[in-house]
Each structure stands twice: as C-alpha cells, then as structure tokens.
Amino acid sequence: MTEWHSTVTPPALARLLDTAARLPQPTGRRPTYRRLADQVRTLVSEGRLPVGARLPAERELAAALALSRTTVATAYEALRADGYLRSRRGAGSWTTLPEGAPPPGDALHPVPPDEQGHTLDLGVAALPAPQPYLGEAAARAVEQLPAYAAGHGCYPTGVPVLREAVARRFTQRGLPTTPDQILITTGAMGALHLLHRALVGPGDRVAVEGPSYPHTLQALRRSGARLVPVPHAWPGGPELMPSWDLPEWQRVLRGAAPKLAYVMPDFHNPTGALIEEEQRRELLAAARASGTIVLADETTAELGWGLERAAGAPTPAAPAAFPRPMAALDRGAQVVTVGSASKLLWGGLRIGWVRATPALVRRLATDRVYSDVGTPVLDQLIAAVLIGERLEEVRTHQLERLRASAGALSAALREQLPGWRFAEPPGGLCLWLATDGLSGTALAQAGERGRVRIAAGTRFGADGAFENFIRIPLTVPAPAAHAAVERLAAVAEQAATGDRWPTADGGSPLVA
Amino acid sequence: MTEWHSTVTPPALARLLDTAARLPQPTGRRPTYRRLADQVRTLVSEGRLPVGARLPAERELAAALALSRTTVATAYEALRADGYLRSRRGAGSWTTLPEGAPPPGDALHPVPPDEQGHTLDLGVAALPAPQPYLGEAAARAVEQLPAYAAGHGCYPTGVPVLREAVARRFTQRGLPTTPDQILITTGAMGALHLLHRALVGPGDRVAVEGPSYPHTLQALRRSGARLVPVPHAWPGGPELMPSWDLPEWQRVLRGAAPKLAYVMPDFHNPTGALIEEEQRRELLAAARASGTIVLADETTAELGWGLERAAGAPTPAAPAAFPRPMAALDRGAQVVTVGSASKLLWGGLRIGWVRATPALVRRLATDRVYSDVGTPVLDQLIAAVLIGERLEEVRTHQLERLRASAGALSAALREQLPGWRFAEPPGGLCLWLATDGLSGTALAQAGERGRVRIAAGTRFGADGAFENFIRIPLTVPAPAAHAAVERLAAVAEQAATGDRWPTADGGSPLVA
C-alpha cells in the first residue's frame, strides 16, 4: 500500500517546530530527541501537520535545525515507537496515527462513544438533539418518504421543500431570498468545501479573523490558500467582547486584495462576538473596493441566547433592531453565506446550505457530482419540518440549554479559576478563556493524561497565535458544570507543574 | 462576484475540439463560428470542459485553430447569447450554464422533478427505492433514534451498527472483514473523493478501464491525475460480454507503473461485465509487481440479476463458485474496495463505504473533517437494518425489477433497432449499445430536442473513445420498455439526418 504523501520541506517543518518550541518547557529535563519527537507529535495531534505528510530526510532536518543527525534519527525512532511515524526504505517517512488514537484536532472531534463514560469532553461544541422535536419531525418525514422513494433520490441542489424553508427563514431574518439562491449541502463543512474549490485557487490569499474556526483554517490551508489573519480588536481586555478591527481589515483588504474574506459575524466561534451592523457595512465597503468575496459563515447565527441580558436588547422577534445578515447589506453579489442546521437542530442530520446567486448555486451543484452528489433526502425532510414549522420551539429549547450552561460554567470558573478571564458572550456555543499565562497546548496535553479533552487556543489561530487561551463549549449540562470546572482546574494545576507528555513506556490513557 | 477559474490553454482546448470535431458533420451547412460555438457547448454539456473554466483569449485560440479572430469572436458572442459563456473585461471569458440548463454530464444527472412528466430519462442508472422495505426500515430507524439523539451525532468513521453490518456482508461474500476496516461515506462518490485525495497526487498516473464510470474519470481528471485507459477486450464483438485485456493491463502496469488502477470487476458500469477470478488474480499479481494500488469499485457488485441464465451458474448463495471480491485475492494490502447502498437500496440514502486497512480508514476519517465531517446518522441506521436484516428480500425485489427491465428492453431493441448490437449482461444497471455507426453524441443532442435523455458513449471513455455507443439504464419499467425504445428509435432516425443543434433563435426545449 503506497499512499500519496504531501512533502513537508525542512524549512516548513522548522517553522512549525519553532511555534511549538514557544511552549513553556516542562520541569523535568528531557533529552533533545524526546522534545523533538514530542513537538512533532503535538503538531500531528493538533492537526497542524497533516496525517500522511512526508517528513524531511533525517540529514536534511538535522541541518535545518542545527541538530546532530543521531538526534533526529532517535526522534524519528521514538515517533515510530509511539505510532506517529511510518518509514519505508526508498519511500521516506510519513506521519500516521496510532491505532485507537483520536483523530487530529482531537479535541475538536467527539470522543468515541466507548470512551464517553471515562472522558470529560470540553473539546466538541455540539449539542444533543432537541427532543421530542427531532423524533417527531423524523416520524413526519418517514410519512412523506414514499412520494420520494418512487424516484431516484438524487437532488444536487436540494429537496425543494427544504430549499423553500431555508429561503423563507432568510427572508424572516431580513434578507429576502428565493429557493433558487439556496443550495442544500452535507453540513456547513460540505458547503465550505464546495465554496473553497469554486472560489479559491492555489496561492490565493484569504483573509480570516483571528481567532477563527480551526477546521475552516485547515481546509483553506489544504486547498493551497495563503491565510492572512486579521486579529479581533479587544479594547476592553478579555472580559469584554471583541469586535472587528476595522482599520486593520481596511489595511489588509487594500494591501493584500485577498480573494476571499472568511468571517463569522454572528456569535463568532470561538469568542461569541456579535458584530454590529455599522462594522458589517464598513467591511463590505472595503471588500467591494478590493474585489474581495465575503464568505459569511452563519453556522451560529441563530444562537443568540444571551441577548436579553442587555436591557431592552433587540431580539430576533424584532429583527429590524438586530444586526442584519451580511448579505442583506450587500450591493454587488459580494457576499456568499453559509448556514447550518447542525448547531440548532442536530449534527447527526448533516444539513447545511449556501445562499448565493442562482448561477453560483448551479455551478456548485455541478461540482458536487465529484464529491457527495447530493444530501440524503430523509434528513432534508426532517430539517424542512423543523425549520419550516417548529423553529421557534426548537430555538427556545436549545437556547435555554445554552444559557443555563453558560451561567453555571461562568460561575464555576469565577470561583475555581479566579485568575482566568473571559467575557460572557451574547450567544454562540463557547466561552473563550484567557488562561492566566498558562499554555493552552500544555493544558490540552495535561488533559490528555487526565481524560479531559481541551481545545487549545492555538488551534484557532492562523499562525500559532492564542497560546494562552482555550475554548470550552456550552455543551456541559448546567448541573455538571461545577464538577467539570473542578476537573479543568486540576488539569491546570498539573499543566503548571508537570511534564507535558507521558513517558514513552507509560503510554497515554487516551491511546490505550 | 469573482469566482476562481481554472484556465484552459489554447492547445488543450484545440485538442478537446479535435475530439469533438470527429463527430459526423450535420447535413445543413453552418458557418464556422456556429460549429465552433456548438462544439464548445457540447464539451461543456458533456462535462468534458468544466463549468467555470477560463477559455483562451480570442486571439490565442484563433492562432491555435488557424481561424480568423473574427470567427472566434463571433463564436464567443454566440456562446454568450446561448448562456454558455460569460466575459468581463480584464478577467477574460469563462464557461457557465444557462438558467434552467441541466447540469453538465446532464444525461447522467436525474431529470428535475418538474421535468419528469415530459422527459424520458435514459441517462440515469438509479432505481426507485424498494418498498415497503425502505419505509419499514426508516420507521425502525426512527425508533432507534433517541439513543443517538442524546449525543453529538458525529461519527467520522460511521455508526458502529452499520460498520458491523457492512463487515458481516463482506464476510458472507467470502472476504473476512472486521468493522475497523470499514469507513462509512456519503455515497460511493464520497468514498472515491476521499480516496482520490489520499492516494493520488497531481500528475500521478491512474489506469482506468475503457469504458468506465464517467464521474470517476472526471473526478480523477479534476484531481490532476493523468488517466491511462486500458480498453476492455471484446473478442466476440458487442454481442458478447467483454473482459479485461490482460496482456494490455500487464503492459500498462509494467510500463507506466500507475499509482492507482480503478476497476469495476462485478457487473461493470456501463457494460455489465463480470470478471472471472483468474483474471482478477493475474491483474493483482501485475499490480503487486508495479506497486500499483487497485481501487475496486463494487458499487454494482450485488446486482447479479442475470446469473441464473447460464445453466448451473453460481449464485451469491454459493459464493465459493462466484468470483471472489478482489480484496479476497489480495496478499499485500494492495486492494482498496468501495461499495454503495445507492444501487441496491436507494440513492436518496447516500450511503457508501470504503474497505481498507484500519490505518487508511483512520486517515480517511481525519481527511473528511474538511469535507462532509460524517454521514447522517438516520440513513446509516436505515442501511444497517436493510443490509443487516433484510438484504435477501431487498435483493430479490430489486433484481427481479432489473431482470424484467432487461428482458423487455432487449426484446424491444431487437425488434425496433435491429442494426444495433449489444450483449445481455449477467448483471448491473445498464445495456451498452453499439449504435450501428450512429454518433452517440449526435443521438444525445437529437434526444435533447426530443426530450429523451441519452448518455453518449464518449462520456465513458477517457479520451473521447466510444463515439458509436450509448448506455441505457435498466430503470425503465418493463411495461414501458417498448414505448421507450420507440422514442429512442425516433431520436435515432432524427440523429441520422438532422442538424445536431437547435438554431440559436429556436432554443432548446430542455433549456426553456
């Protein structure tokens, strides 16, 4: 079996290792080869070095790092022993995953069901399904199935009843939309995947928020894009919500003229920030001037669970006061919007959508013949019932759950980790925590030993930024919040003092 | 809106046009510009020129084709008027689709539901769902849903119950398989998409059967692979089933050492050929020697509806006599297998799978985080019920339908198109018809006027081969077969005499 492997050049790996090397050094002194092996392992398990990437030859990497060849050879040997590297004479060495290892970007992946009893998952920001609504909608969809079962079941643009329901919902939110502007996709990632292929060529610049959603950053990197991060502005410090740094956006758009700008204006992941309408307008004006397409990711747009805290704050029931969707402010087909049912309804449905011009919708429907062909019919029927008929009840149900979780987690954090700082966001799925100088990566590694999965802040940065942050999801049920933060605090204690990696012979409890 | 456009160089377009120009010329004399525009339009609607491809500048194309610049400019103008080209000063011209046009490779795409009353679809080889089995399984799956709805719903490798059912089915078919060798994907195309990314790099050679499945050929082209077609051997002429041309396969594997060989050994699409076990062994031996991965597409492997015609022929109930799956003959992890529920169960479920080493399964599960993340849960539960508990009933039901369709279509073809030649295959979804010298592309074009969608043979060739073939699917219900062939014969009559395109002012009834 000879898979294809992209090659990491010695300078590229040296740069990645340089970011990894900024981690605080553990107390115990470990040999250089072990530290090198551990850093490579971190890069793989964070998803910054792809699985299947061919590493430089030992001699070349030794030269690039100014280490002895023996050190590099011993580090590669240690990685092979840990199951993170495979080598074959003549073919080189490439990264791999040990059996039973969580996939890279592990903390952003759900814990496998057979681990769930043992592990506290603070990585995945995904809710259980709203019941009984999902079950009821599924039963309704099964009743509608016979009419569809008589046909081939293939709908490249989506089942009409769902395209209509999604278009109506956009219209309700202040953005008049017709069904031919909607493409139903296999989750929001399915939408982003198609759009990256259609809109971004190798070498094209893409401006992204800093921080941003890690899977999108990684997907853009893989498609050959050059990321240009534009950090959020945090004028009030981590206790206050950030916003866009508009002068910086204007500078980047004017100077780099990126092909695409990827933004999450509504309850941004990971910070929860809600961008006000005036900033949206100004960013659009700058994008229009530079010919940049704005890709507005509205995956979390319906999750405004904290809006009522501000007295007299606008609600989605009074959408005129709420900042309008980016596309509603658009005057030149400059905005493409992505949405998802995964957060409000259920990730197990894998329903997402694109809102774009009918011409782009047709092109994307063509392109998907070479990936997923279409999205399953039954899930589309379920989503059509929930979005078309039960949306307010489902929203109330899910937002109440998020609100309770946010309240309980915030209280527990203030009590048990008083040095950590965070804002209480107006919505979204996460809290973004400044860890009082602790390395988020070290926290994630200590969590691996303590069976607490933690999403390190660096995952959300385009360039290894946000080392002293972690993200925790509002999916911890409120009654479990205190105990969860207790475990997080214990991990923090350990991260501040302990070695970062289990010894090679000790093995990791998560890689059993 | 400035999408990204891949660029077609003048020589590349000249080569494509050269293939298109081999079509028989229509009787009516048409100006050169119109013929050029029509040929480009054919390339787009056959999917051989991607939607969104940037065409050469008029001056460059004129030079490459030895035409006047005015001729090329007028052809581009005609394409713009027809809605197949868009231009912008400074950005060039790129292919597009007129509103309401069927997607490219149209005859392989289902007719939109609102067209179905008017159009005879001989393009799509997809069956309606087996009822009442699908509905019953869906109801069962909804009962199982609450246990899954309490979780996040994200299963990158697949829901365990379906991985187990698929592994058991492989084992029943003579190929012992464990669930960790199975990755559940969003249809077989989802599986192929992931595998192309993991196994094939830009510029890598991929050996493919000639003819082969068009969407795979196109997907491989798009991933930058260089296709090396290996024509089937047809020693008995089109009335007898083809097989692999093993000396040719051995020559290609030895000479080109392709990275991958893509084959459909079981009821091949489009010919229905079933490859005997000895040929499978020999191809594997040659692939082992050249270090080539064999990608065995078993999408149609369960569709052996014609096996009982040969007296005492083996059946899947006696799998020892039936040629074993390629992977069962494999001795070096050289074979990766793709399967699908779309043909036997229903395309609307979008369930496919990969059978590979556990290590490759883990890598693919990682890669899909950047495309579809996972396959919807409910459809996996439905497939698990049907594959795990009802497979024999469902197979009997679907194979009976195919057998009846094949019988009725064959009889009608012999009666109404006696010059056409074809074999009666032992299984699969199609008949592969030699059209007595008529151009398949001309037939497809005449069909467009007559509302009969036809898949031209050239779509199944890597290099414009199979001009005098078409494929028709066994999805025409037996009672409708006579009338369907009557319409096909009328189209053939027209194709033999008429102009290939509707006049620019007349428009096309399918592009209304």
Side-chain angles (χ1 to χ4, degrees):
Chain A
M1 168 65 61
T2 45
E3 297 169 31
W4 182 75
H5 304 290
S6 62
T7 297
V8 190
T9 63
L13 184 53
R15 267 197 307 279
L16 281 168
L17 289 167
D18 186 49
T19 340
R22 293 183 312 152
L23 310 182
Q25 292 309 313
T27 338
R29 298 201 93 202
R30 285 172 313 149
T32 309
Y33 86 85
R34 186 75 243 171
R35 284 177 42 211
L36 175 58
D38 289 352
Q39 286 174 0
V40 171
R41 181 178 150 165
T42 299
L43 291 172
V44 173
S45 62
E46 285 201 345
R48 284 152 75 191
L49 196 57
V51 176
R54 194 195 306 277
L55 296 192
E58 293 165 1
R59 191 185 302 277
E60 290 172 9
L61 185 60
L65 297 176
L67 293 173
S68 79
R69 183 168 168 190
T70 311
T71 301
V72 174
T74 317
Y76 278 20
E77 188 51 48
L79 283 164
R80 275 190 290 270
D82 292 352
Y84 280 86
L85 197 69
R86 284 169 74 186
S87 304
R88 210 182 42 245
R89 194 170 300 277
S93 298
W94 56 93
T95 58
T96 180
L97 283 181
E99 212 174 304
D106 54 354
L108 299 169
H109 242 104
V111 175
D114 54 351
E115 292 271 1
Q116 278 172 8
H118 314 291
T119 301
L120 170 62
D121 192 348
L122 295 181
V124 177
L127 289 175
Q131 287 285 45
Y133 307 104
L134 177 72
E136 289 170 11
R140 285 272 306 281
V142 170
E143 286 167 21
Q144 297 163 18
L145 193 58
Y148 293 88
H152 41 62
C154 179
Y155 295 85
T157 53
V159 170
V161 65
L162 179 57
R163 297 176 83 193
E164 288 159 17
V166 170
R168 270 201 310 277
R169 180 63 188 157
F170 271 114
T171 305
Q172 280 169 11
R173 289 175 54 223
L175 175 56
T177 302
T178 52
D180 64 350
Q181 292 175 278
I182 302 296
L183 177 81
I184 304 301
T185 59
T186 306
M189 274 314 295
L192 292 168
H193 180 69
L194 289 169
L195 285 166
H196 293 165
R197 280 194 79 128
L199 302 178
V200 183
D204 278 349
R205 280 184 286 264
V206 177
V208 297
E209 296 165 306
S212 185
Y213 179 58
H215 289 170
T216 307
L217 299 182
Q218 198 62 17
L220 284 165
R221 278 189 204 104
R222 287 163 64 108
S223 70
R226 287 180 290 166
L227 301 184
V228 186
V230 185
H232 272 46
W234 243 287
E239 285 91 348
L240 292 177
M241 291 309 297
S243 61
W244 286 339
D245 184 342
L246 264 174
E248 183 63 12
W249 270 105
Q250 284 155 349
R251 197 186 63 79
V252 164
L253 290 172
R254 201 167 44 234
K259 197 64 203 283
L260 194 74
Y262 171 74
V263 293
M264 298 188 78
D266 302 283
F267 316 116
H268 172 256
N269 184 351
T271 66
L274 176 66
I275 302 300
E276 60 186 32
E277 192 162 313
E278 190 50 33
Q279 282 211 330
R280 301 178 186 218
R281 267 187 217 288
E282 288 180 32
L283 188 136
L284 274 179
R288 196 153 45 236
S290 63
T292 300
I293 301 172
V294 176
L295 178 48
D297 183 343
E298 295 192 348
T299 295
T300 44
E302 298 274 11
L303 304 182
W305 51 263
L307 289 170
E308 85 297 348
R309 267 206 316 271
T315 68
F322 191 81
R324 276 179 289 170
M326 292 290 280
L329 311 170
D330 183 19
R331 274 185 267 135
Q334 202 76 24
V335 177
V336 177
T337 306
V338 164
S340 174
S342 290
K343 303 306 183 183
L344 194 63
L345 307 182
W346 190 41
L349 290 176
R350 315 266 3 99
I351 296 288
W353 50 84
V354 174
R355 180 192 183 277
T357 60
L360 182 55
V361 164
R362 286 196 296 275
R363 175 174 173 190
L364 297 173
T366 299
D367 287 347
R368 80 189 299 187
V369 173
Y370 311 109
S371 50
D372 64 356
V373 183
T375 300
V377 170
L378 195 58
D379 307 84
Q380 295 191 64
L381 299 178
I382 294 171
V385 170
L386 290 173
I387 294 172
E389 303 171 26
R390 310 298 295 268
L391 194 68
E392 278 316 308
E393 293 142 284
V394 169
R395 279 190 82 226
T396 303
H397 181 276
Q398 296 291 66
L399 298 199
E400 182 47 52
R401 177 143 72 180
L402 292 169
R403 195 179 296 120
S405 173
L409 280 172
S410 301
L413 284 163
R414 287 210 188 83
E415 183 195 325
Q416 301 181 59
L417 287 161
W420 291 23
R421 296 186 303 161
F422 58 96
E424 286 190 56
L429 278 166
C430 317
L431 297 179
W432 180 242
L433 309 177
T435 52
D436 198 17
L438 255 183
S439 152
T441 308
L443 272 163
Q445 291 170 357
E448 200 183 334
R449 287 196 297 279
R451 288 189 184 275
V452 182
R453 301 181 100 193
I454 294 168
T458 41
R459 298 212 169 132
F460 301 84
D463 46 10
F466 308 109
E467 179 56 44
N468 296 322
F469 287 84
I470 66 168
R471 185 196 78 169
I472 66 171
L474 303 179
T475 49
V476 179
H482 194 272
V485 174
E486 219 161 55
R487 286 183 71 178
L488 179 61
V491 166
E493 179 77 24
Q494 229 197 349
T497 56
D499 195 349
R500 280 177 301 135
W501 284 110
T503 54
D505 47 337
S508 150
L510 274 187
V511 187
Chain B
M1 169 66 59
T2 46
E3 297 169 32
W4 181 74
H5 303 291
S6 63
T7 296
V8 189
T9 62
L13 184 53
R15 267 196 308 278
L16 282 167
L17 289 167
D18 186 49
T19 339
R22 292 182 314 152
L23 310 182
Q25 293 308 313
T27 338
R29 299 201 93 205
R30 285 171 315 147
T32 309
Y33 86 87
R34 185 74 243 171
R35 284 178 42 211
L36 175 58
D38 289 352
Q39 286 174 359
V40 170
R41 181 177 151 168
T42 299
L43 291 171
V44 173
S45 62
E46 286 201 346
R48 287 153 74 190
L49 196 57
V51 177
R54 193 195 307 278
L55 295 192
E58 292 166 1
R59 189 185 305 274
E60 291 171 9
L61 185 60
L65 297 175
L67 293 174
S68 80
R69 182 167 170 191
T70 310
T71 301
V72 175
T74 317
Y76 278 20
E77 187 52 48
L79 284 164
R80 276 190 290 271
D82 290 353
Y84 281 86
L85 197 68
R86 283 168 74 186
S87 306
R88 209 179 45 244
R89 193 169 301 275
S93 296
W94 57 92
T95 57
T96 181
L97 284 180
E99 212 173 303
D106 54 355
L108 300 169
H109 242 103
V111 174
D114 54 349
E115 292 269 1
Q116 278 171 10
H118 313 292
T119 301
L120 170 62
D121 191 347
L122 295 180
V124 177
L127 290 174
Q131 287 286 44
Y133 308 104
L134 177 72
E136 288 170 10
R140 286 273 304 284
V142 169
E143 285 166 22
Q144 297 163 16
L145 192 58
Y148 293 88
H152 41 63
C154 179
Y155 296 84
T157 52
V159 170
V161 66
L162 179 56
R163 296 176 82 191
E164 288 158 18
V166 170
R168 271 201 310 276
R169 180 64 188 157
F170 271 113
T171 305
Q172 282 170 10
R173 288 177 55 223
L175 175 56
T177 302
T178 52
D180 64 349
Q181 292 175 278
I182 302 296
L183 177 81
I184 304 300
T185 59
T186 306
M189 272 315 294
L192 292 168
H193 180 68
L194 288 170
L195 285 166
H196 293 165
R197 280 194 78 126
L199 303 177
V200 184
D204 278 348
R205 279 184 287 263
V206 177
V208 297
E209 295 166 306
S212 186
Y213 179 58
H215 288 169
T216 306
L217 299 181
Q218 197 63 17
L220 283 165
R221 278 188 203 105
R222 287 163 63 109
S223 70
R226 285 180 290 164
L227 301 184
V228 186
V230 185
H232 271 45
W234 244 286
E239 284 93 349
L240 293 176
M241 291 309 297
S243 60
W244 286 339
D245 184 343
L246 263 174
E248 184 63 12
W249 270 104
Q250 284 154 348
R251 197 187 62 79
V252 164
L253 290 172
R254 201 167 43 234
K259 198 64 204 282
L260 194 74
Y262 171 75
V263 294
M264 298 189 79
D266 303 283
F267 316 117
H268 172 256
N269 183 352
T271 67
L274 175 65
I275 302 300
E276 62 185 33
E277 192 162 312
E278 192 47 34
Q279 283 211 329
R280 300 177 188 221
R281 270 186 216 287
E282 289 180 32
L283 188 134
L284 273 179
R288 198 154 42 236
S290 63
T292 300
I293 301 172
V294 176
L295 178 48
D297 183 343
E298 295 191 347
T299 296
T300 43
E302 299 274 12
L303 303 183
W305 51 263
L307 289 171
E308 86 297 349
R309 264 204 318 268
T315 69
F322 192 81
R324 275 180 289 169
M326 292 290 281
L329 311 170
D330 183 18
R331 275 184 268 136
Q334 203 76 24
V335 177
V336 177
T337 307
V338 164
S340 174
S342 290
K343 303 307 184 184
L344 195 63
L345 306 183
W346 190 41
L349 291 177
R350 313 270 358 102
I351 296 287
W353 50 82
V354 174
R355 180 192 182 279
T357 60
L360 183 55
V361 164
R362 285 197 295 278
R363 176 175 173 191
L364 298 172
T366 299
D367 288 348
R368 80 189 300 188
V369 172
Y370 310 110
S371 49
D372 64 357
V373 183
T375 300
V377 170
L378 195 59
D379 307 85
Q380 294 190 64
L381 299 178
I382 294 170
V385 170
L386 291 173
I387 294 172
E389 303 171 25
R390 310 297 296 268
L391 194 68
E392 278 317 306
E393 292 143 284
V394 169
R395 280 190 81 225
T396 304
H397 180 276
Q398 297 289 68
L399 298 199
E400 183 46 52
R401 178 142 69 179
L402 292 168
R403 194 179 296 121
S405 173
L409 280 172
S410 301
L413 284 163
R414 286 209 190 83
E415 183 195 325
Q416 300 181 59
L417 288 160
W420 290 23
R421 296 185 304 160
F422 59 95
E424 283 189 58
L429 277 166
C430 318
L431 297 178
W432 179 242
L433 309 177
T435 52
D436 197 16
L438 255 184
S439 151
T441 309
L443 273 163
Q445 291 170 357
E448 200 183 336
R449 288 196 296 279
R451 289 189 182 275
V452 181
R453 299 181 101 191
I454 294 167
T458 41
R459 300 215 166 128
F460 301 83
D463 48 8
F466 308 108
E467 179 58 43
N468 296 322
F469 289 84
I470 66 168
R471 186 196 78 170
I472 66 172
L474 303 180
T475 50
V476 179
H482 194 274
V485 174
E486 218 162 55
R487 286 182 70 179
L488 179 61
V491 166
E493 178 77 25
Q494 227 196 352
T497 55
D499 196 349
R500 281 177 302 135
W501 285 109
T503 53
D505 49 336
S508 150
L510 275 186
V511 188

